[in-house]
Amino acid sequence: MRAFALCIGLITLWVNLLLGQKFPEKGLPPLNNYAPIEYAQAGKVWAIQSAPNGLVYFAADKGLLEFDGLNWRRRPGSKGFTRSLLVVNDSVIYTGADKDFGVWRRTGLGDFQYASLYPFRESAKGLNEEFWGVYSLEREIVFVSFDNIYVLKGGQLTKIAAPSRFSKSFQVDGAIYLADEKTGLCHFDGLSLNQVFGYPDPQPWQIMGVDQTEDGLLILTRSRGLWRYQEARLQPVPWLVSQYLQRDQVFSFAPIEQDHYAIGTILNGVYITDRQGQIIQHLNKPKGLLNNTILSLHYSPQGSLWLGMDFGVAKVFLSSQIAYILDHQGEFGTGQTALLDQRDFYLGTNQGLYFANWDSLKNNASGISFSLIPGSAGQVWALQDIRGDIWCGHDRGLFRVSRRGLIPIYTEEGVLAMTPLDDQHLVAGTYNGLSLFQLKGGRWTFERKIAPVQGACNQVIADGEDLLWINVPNFGLIKASMSPDFRIEAQRIYLDRVFEGENPWISLDSTGLHVRTSQQAYVYDASQDSFLRADSLPGLKAIVNRLPFIWEGLPISDTFQFFPVYNGFALYNQASQASSPPPASLVVRSLTAFNNDTTESFDPPAAIPYHLNNIRVQYLVPHQADMRYRHRLVNFQDKWSEWSSQQHLDFINLPEGDYQLLIEAQSPAGVLRAQPLQISILPPWYRQWYTYLGFVLLALALYGLMRWRHQRKLERMEARLQASERQARAKQAEADQQAKMLQNQERLESEIVDLKKRLRAKTIELAKKGKENEDKNRLLQTLRDTIADIEKRSSVSNRHWAEMSRLLDNQTRNEDNTFEVQIDELNQDFLRRLKARYPALTTYDLRLAIYLKMGLSSREIAELLNVLPSSVNVSRSRLRRKLNLDADQDLYEFLIEV
């Protein structure tokens, strides 16, 4: 009876374990690494959370990061490093940072606005707080630093001091726990701190994680392993993973739903365990991570585990149906083929044939180990179970496989594929044609080549008893009809160019013969002896680094398919499909309007100017690949578009009007619908209501202006008539006046001409008079000289000669004064100005200046002065120098202007 109960208990435990294994144990789940350069060099990531719409947010050194699976967006908020965050919903996020904490509120499709809530942000007063925790507690938001707790409720902040110093804080099932360096673990109920337990010894306790279990609180420490607190007792947990955690030092912790834990370490990556402490996955730098130090962990509702590392961020697809076993240490190479014989797993690679226990292919702390079968080194192309024996197609020939080594069957040339024809015969595709093998006396032997097939044959498929399908790469497919003695009686060749795409691959199942290429799928129609296009192209599995031309997986069991990849292989678990969580939601990321010169962003409902009537909408299902989308723009499109993988829409030259954009996404869980977008293209400015109003007002203004102008025109016409009459009279009077003035002007001009003539004659007369006076003066001077000479020699009375000399002097002075008086009277103003400006001028210079100003020629002046014309020219040059004239200045013009 006891044995029966024990058996029932073991069965129950096995069932629980089976049901609890949500994540694959075999191989490494797919992961994506993101180096800091990909997210704007934002530094280290200290906290991660998901929004309900599927977007993931990160608290990083340089602000808040947002990632939708394709694009990163960084938003700087606080001046210090951002340390923690709390995503309340799609539109509200709280963050904690160095010397600051605050709230982000969404203001549009892709924008957030930050507001600080920290009261000491501007004047810290010596405080140096770092806020490493943000939590929601009923209607309160709790911010935790090393020294204080700040509770935000109803817009009011309450500050609660730490007993000594908080080293870490946690939220478990809505309850907030804080680890104090001296007091121990405390529980915070929103008003006060209550001790849960004190530390059992004075040695440093660094609590890094807390979880509520049926057996009490599970406590994770940095270097003292796992502990459990139950019924006021703190006891170590004897799990195997605890040993690794003590060695690798825990830094971060995250429960994964109700089934698993993720534990990040400082030295050796992350451990994923079940609730019984069994290691399900272990990821570190040798297994693909960028760094071994895990600073933060987050499990998203979409089934991905996010890791914030000391360098970079990683996303682990825990719910993926695909797992990888990669050769990080160079132990087995690139997988080519595989075979599962009960629990024995055979792997053919480019380095040889390897063996491992199927149950040992777990990505746990101990790793995965393969053993090379002796004598199998080299390229393995194919493995097949034929009537209980494992056959190996090798680059050295055809072999049977045993644990002790390979048993050679045929060693002439490499074998790419094989298939049995009946119990006694087997055909193999080789590097050059087909080879037939026969079982004789219990031993398989090479029989002969099957003509006329030549070239490498990488697929040989028996379709019934008398038909073979042969795939010759870079040539085509051959359908060969076989005779009873296994000779080709007839053949039909389907060249590669018959198929759209590259590298046709044959598969045979219960529905018939199929061919798949890189672009198209085909089904063989025996009635037409041709290949027909399939209705749809089966989607390729998202296998990373898959070998070229591998379109389908190799089934190795009812559950798993094998895929060759570079530096290892991948396993596809068909049974885990139902466990994949549904995607979050279809999110519209941006709405922009543009023309050739300008691009502007809008938020719905969007009223877009007519000159920006080119619209682009970007959307996606966050962190979901292979999604298909369709759309319909109501009032522009009558039908839905075809499903496609495109994640943006462009509408060019939309007419004015109101539209509603509907977008749907197709997922395995059903159809997702985005919130309808209301878009209005405004009319051009000349068709706006205010433009029409302006036109009416303008028309009224023009009408009033025209009436006013018409009235003004009539008034002006009447005024012009009156003015015309006045002008006519005035013109007549003016004409009479002008006639009189003309007569007077003509008379004055005639008098001026006459005066000029008289002036010229008078001037000449004066000049001649002056000349005569000068001649007389010379004569008189001669007489005086003669008289003086006579006086010296004559005995005539000196008194009589003196009287005669006095009379001659008086006559000379009178003549000279007469000329000067006449000259002064005619040119008084001119001489005064000229003497004032040039006092060094002599009487001769002044007389010459007067003659030149009168316009006399050099000859006329020479006659008046009784000198040669050349002397006049010399005098003219001397006068120019005295007047300081430049060479290009005209002497006559200068004298006229004086």
Side-chain angles (χ1 to χ4, degrees):
M1 193 68 183
R2 182 177 298 173
F4 177 75
L6 179 61
C7 182
I8 293 297
L10 291 175
I11 293 174
T12 302
L13 177 61
W14 180 83
V15 171
N16 290 333
L17 289 174
L18 181 63
L19 294 176
Q21 294 305 333
K22 180 176 181 178
F23 308 126
E25 292 183 342
K26 290 180 171 47
L28 178 74
L31 64 87
N32 290 341
N33 284 307
Y34 305 96
I37 193 173
E38 298 181 61
Y39 48 88
Q41 296 287 6
K44 299 177 182 180
V45 172
W46 301 102
I48 311 171
Q49 284 196 19
S50 297
N53 60 9
L55 298 177
V56 181
Y57 294 90
F58 306 80
D61 286 347
K62 295 185 179 180
L64 179 67
L65 296 174
E66 179 189 80
F67 186 45
D68 60 14
L70 290 179
N71 300 302
W72 293 85
R73 295 180 181 178
R74 184 176 72 88
R75 296 181 174 87
S78 303
K79 295 181 180 178
F81 291 173
T82 304
R83 303 291 189 178
S84 56
L85 80 162
L86 170 66
V87 178
V88 177
N89 51 48
D90 295 342
S91 302
V92 179
I93 301 172
Y94 291 92
T95 55
D98 296 347
K99 298 183 181 181
D100 191 24
F101 58 80
V103 60
W104 299 81
R105 299 188 186 277
R106 186 179 293 277
T107 58
L109 287 178
D111 296 327
F112 278 86
Q113 185 173 1
Y114 177 75
S116 175
L117 302 174
Y118 186 49
F120 310 114
R121 185 185 188 190
E122 298 301 330
S123 57
K125 297 180 181 179
L127 296 177
N128 189 21
E129 293 188 282
E130 298 176 2
F131 292 89
W132 289 85
V134 185
Y135 308 101
S136 175
L137 188 63
E138 296 181 353
R139 297 183 179 180
E140 303 170 348
I141 303 298
V142 179
F143 302 92
V144 180
S145 72
F146 291 130
D147 303 308
N148 300 288
I149 299 173
Y150 292 82
V151 181
L152 177 65
K153 183 176 183 180
Q156 300 295 321
L157 276 174
T158 302
K159 179 179 176 182
I160 301 172
S164 61
R165 186 175 187 272
F166 296 129
S167 60
K168 198 77 172 177
S169 60
F170 322 93
Q171 187 165 32
V172 182
D173 297 336
I176 298 178
Y177 294 92
L178 299 102
D180 187 82
E181 291 182 351
K182 294 182 179 180
T183 305
L185 187 67
C186 300
H187 172 256
F188 180 65
D189 59 8
L191 296 174
S192 60
L193 284 166
N194 303 296
Q195 185 186 49
V196 178
F197 64 80
Y199 298 129
D201 55 60
Q203 297 299 322
W205 276 67
Q206 292 179 289
I207 299 177
M208 307 306 295
V210 176
D211 187 47
Q212 182 68 55
T213 70
E214 296 179 354
D215 300 325
L217 286 177
L218 180 67
I219 310 297
L220 287 84
T221 66
R222 171 164 291 188
S223 57
R224 302 183 67 163
L226 297 167
W227 295 74
R228 192 180 304 278
Y229 180 75
Q230 184 181 25
E231 297 178 353
R233 296 179 61 188
L234 190 63
Q235 295 180 331
V237 178
W239 290 351
L240 177 63
V241 70
S242 185
Q243 303 175 18
Y244 295 110
L245 299 181
Q246 292 179 51
R247 179 196 67 188
D248 299 335
Q249 299 188 36
V250 176
F251 192 88
S252 53
F253 169 73
I256 301 177
E257 296 183 346
Q258 303 300 320
D259 308 313
H260 296 81
Y261 294 125
I263 306 171
T265 70
I266 296 176
L267 302 178
N268 199 20
V270 60
Y271 292 90
I272 299 172
T273 73
D274 60 16
R275 292 298 174 113
Q276 288 73 41
Q278 298 295 319
I279 299 175
I280 306 302
Q281 291 285 341
H282 174 233
L283 306 174
N284 57 12
K285 187 173 182 180
K287 295 181 181 180
L289 297 179
L290 295 177
N291 193 270
N292 274 333
T293 301
I294 312 301
L295 303 177
S296 54
L297 290 165
H298 167 67
Y299 180 73
S300 72
Q302 284 69 51
S304 298
L305 179 65
W306 290 90
L307 287 67
M309 298 173 288
D310 193 64
F311 177 81
V313 173
K315 177 185 179 182
V316 183
F317 298 85
L318 288 181
S319 297
S320 174
Q321 297 171 257
I322 302 168
Y324 296 88
I325 298 178
L326 302 177
D327 184 15
H328 295 288
Q329 307 298 328
E331 296 178 352
F332 57 86
T334 296
Q336 181 68 43
T337 184
L339 186 142
L340 181 60
D341 181 23
Q342 296 184 6
R343 310 312 293 174
D344 295 335
F345 179 73
Y346 293 91
L347 173 66
T349 76
N350 64 319
Q351 297 180 185
L353 181 61
Y354 293 83
F355 166 81
N357 184 275
W358 177 249
D359 296 328
S360 69
L361 300 183
K362 295 181 178 180
N363 183 35
N364 52 27
S366 60
I368 301 171
S369 177
F370 285 91
S371 300
L372 179 67
I373 293 180
S376 68
Q379 176 70 59
V380 176
W381 294 112
L383 292 172
Q384 191 164 345
D385 187 341
I386 300 177
R387 285 183 288 277
D389 291 329
I390 299 175
W391 293 68
C392 173
H394 200 280
D395 65 353
R396 293 189 282 111
L398 182 63
F399 300 86
R400 275 191 8 203
V401 179
S402 72
R403 293 280 188 89
R404 294 184 297 272
L406 298 183
I407 303 172
I409 303 296
Y410 173 70
T411 58
E412 294 297 322
E413 56 188 349
V415 173
L416 299 172
M418 74 284 292
T419 187
L421 300 175
D422 58 23
D423 292 341
Q424 305 293 321
H425 295 86
L426 178 145
V427 64
T430 70
Y431 287 175
N432 186 22
L434 299 178
S435 296
L436 180 66
F437 296 88
Q438 184 176 3
L439 182 62
K440 294 180 179 179
R443 295 186 61 184
W444 288 93
T445 59
F446 171 73
E447 184 71 16
R448 56 179 166 83
K449 301 288 285 187
I450 300 178
V453 178
Q454 295 181 346
C457 301
N458 64 350
Q459 279 188 288
V460 181
I461 297 177
D463 186 5
E465 297 181 355
D466 58 355
L467 191 62
L468 277 182
W469 289 94
I470 306 152
N471 190 348
V472 181
N474 302 316
F475 175 71
L477 307 182
I478 301 174
K479 183 184 73 172
S481 299
M482 307 295 291
S483 65
D485 60 350
F486 305 110
R487 299 181 185 275
I488 296 178
E489 294 181 328
Q491 67 178 14
R492 168 91 185 265
I493 299 174
Y494 305 88
L495 297 176
D496 278 355
R497 62 173 176 266
V498 174
F499 306 99
E500 181 180 350
E502 298 178 344
N503 300 95
W505 189 261
I506 309 170
S507 63
L508 180 66
D509 57 26
S510 59
T511 62
L513 186 82
H514 307 270
V515 171
R516 168 70 187 266
T517 70
S518 60
Q519 300 180 15
Q520 188 61 48
Y522 297 86
V523 178
Y524 177 69
D525 187 345
S527 62
Q528 301 181 36
D529 193 19
S530 63
F531 287 90
L532 306 179
R533 288 176 178 266
D535 295 334
S536 62
L537 180 66
L540 293 174
K541 303 295 187 297
I543 307 296
V544 179
N545 293 328
R546 173 175 40 196
L547 294 186
F549 321 129
I550 301 298
W551 313 127
E552 298 179 355
L554 173 66
I556 58 175
S557 71
D558 294 337
T559 302
F560 287 95
Q561 292 182 0
F562 172 89
F563 284 88
V565 300
Y566 289 110
N567 201 35
F569 62 93
L571 296 174
Y572 179 75
N573 188 350
Q574 303 174 89
S576 65
Q577 183 173 2
S579 66
S580 298
S585 59
L586 176 56
V587 179
V588 177
R589 297 293 283 153
S590 66
L591 169 61
T592 56
F594 61 93
N595 57 25
N596 291 335
D597 303 318
T598 306
T599 298
E600 294 184 17
S601 297
F602 292 87
D603 295 317
I608 299 173
Y610 186 78
H611 71 280
L612 296 175
N613 63 341
N614 304 307
I615 308 300
R616 166 164 286 199
V617 181
Q618 294 181 316
Y619 51 86
L620 51 72
V621 177
H623 304 285
Q624 296 293 321
D626 301 327
M627 300 293 292
R628 295 170 65 81
Y629 304 87
R630 67 174 184 173
H631 69 275
R632 180 187 172 211
L633 187 62
V634 180
N635 296 333
F636 186 74
Q637 296 172 319
D638 296 331
K639 298 180 181 180
W640 286 87
S641 67
E642 298 294 328
W643 292 101
S644 74
S645 59
Q646 182 173 292
Q647 295 178 329
H648 72 272
L649 298 173
D650 288 326
F651 298 101
I652 306 299
N653 291 328
L654 276 178
E656 62 187 84
D658 297 326
Y659 304 95
Q660 185 182 59
L661 180 60
L662 307 177
I663 306 174
E664 294 183 348
Q666 191 178 53
S667 71
V671 175
L672 303 176
R673 295 177 177 84
Q675 187 73 22
L677 296 182
Q678 304 297 330
I679 302 173
S680 296
I681 303 297
L682 301 177
W685 65 269
Y686 51 84
R687 285 205 295 271
Q688 298 280 6
W689 66 267
Y690 51 79
T691 307
Y692 293 139
L693 177 60
F695 286 154
V696 172
L697 295 177
L698 180 61
L700 293 175
L702 289 175
Y703 175 73
L705 179 62
M706 290 177 63
R707 289 204 58 182
W708 177 79
R709 292 188 62 187
H710 182 68
Q711 185 66 30
R712 291 285 297 167
K713 186 176 181 180
L714 292 176
E715 293 176 356
R716 285 195 299 270
M717 288 177 64
E718 183 178 357
R720 278 198 298 269
L721 288 175
Q722 296 176 358
S724 178
E725 294 177 359
R726 290 194 299 271
Q727 289 176 359
R729 291 193 296 267
K731 284 182 178 180
Q732 184 62 41
E734 184 178 358
D736 295 342
Q737 183 69 23
Q738 286 181 352
K740 292 180 181 180
M741 292 177 65
L742 183 60
Q743 291 177 357
N744 292 332
Q745 183 177 359
E746 290 176 353
R747 180 179 56 81
L748 291 174
E749 289 178 354
S750 176
E751 291 178 356
I752 291 172
V753 171
D754 185 57
L755 288 175
K756 286 183 177 180
K757 291 179 179 180
R758 291 171 59 188
L759 177 62
R760 179 180 177 86
K762 188 66 174 177
T763 302
I764 294 173
E765 182 182 352
L766 288 175
K768 290 180 178 181
K769 179 64 176 176
K771 180 177 179 300
E772 292 176 358
N773 290 338
E774 187 175 354
D775 292 342
K776 290 178 181 180
N777 288 334
R778 282 197 297 270
L779 178 59
L780 293 175
Q781 182 64 40
T782 302
L783 290 175
R784 291 176 64 187
D785 294 340
T786 303
I787 291 171
D789 184 59
I790 292 173
E791 285 178 346
K792 293 178 181 180
R793 293 179 298 170
S794 176
S795 59
V796 182
S797 175
N798 289 336
R799 182 178 59 85
H800 296 287
W801 289 112
E803 180 66 21
M804 186 179 295
S805 178
R806 184 182 58 79
L807 291 174
L808 289 174
D809 291 338
N810 290 337
Q811 182 64 32
T812 302
R813 286 193 296 271
N814 290 337
E815 291 298 332
D816 292 340
N817 290 337
T818 301
F819 173 73
E820 292 178 358
V821 169
Q822 290 174 340
I823 290 298
D824 290 343
E825 288 177 355
L826 290 174
N827 298 278
Q828 290 181 10
D829 294 337
F830 172 73
L831 290 174
R832 185 174 60 254
R833 291 193 300 271
L834 193 61
K835 287 180 180 180
R837 292 176 60 179
Y838 303 98
L841 295 177
T842 65
T843 301
Y844 181 82
D845 294 331
L846 294 174
R847 187 183 304 171
L848 178 62
I850 291 172
Y851 293 160
L852 292 173
K853 179 175 179 294
M854 292 170 57
L856 300 181
S857 64
S858 296
R859 178 171 297 178
E860 291 174 333
I861 295 173
E863 291 177 357
L864 292 175
L865 297 178
N866 197 23
V867 295
L868 293 175
S870 58
S871 298
V872 175
N873 292 333
V874 172
S875 298
R876 186 197 303 265
S877 300
R878 187 182 300 111
L879 179 61
R880 288 179 62 88
R881 287 195 299 273
K882 290 183 178 182
L883 297 178
N884 299 321
L885 297 183
D886 296 332
D888 57 346
Q889 283 185 280
D890 185 81
L891 179 58
Y892 174 76
E893 294 293 336
F894 175 79
L895 294 174
I896 291 297
E897 293 175 358
V898 170

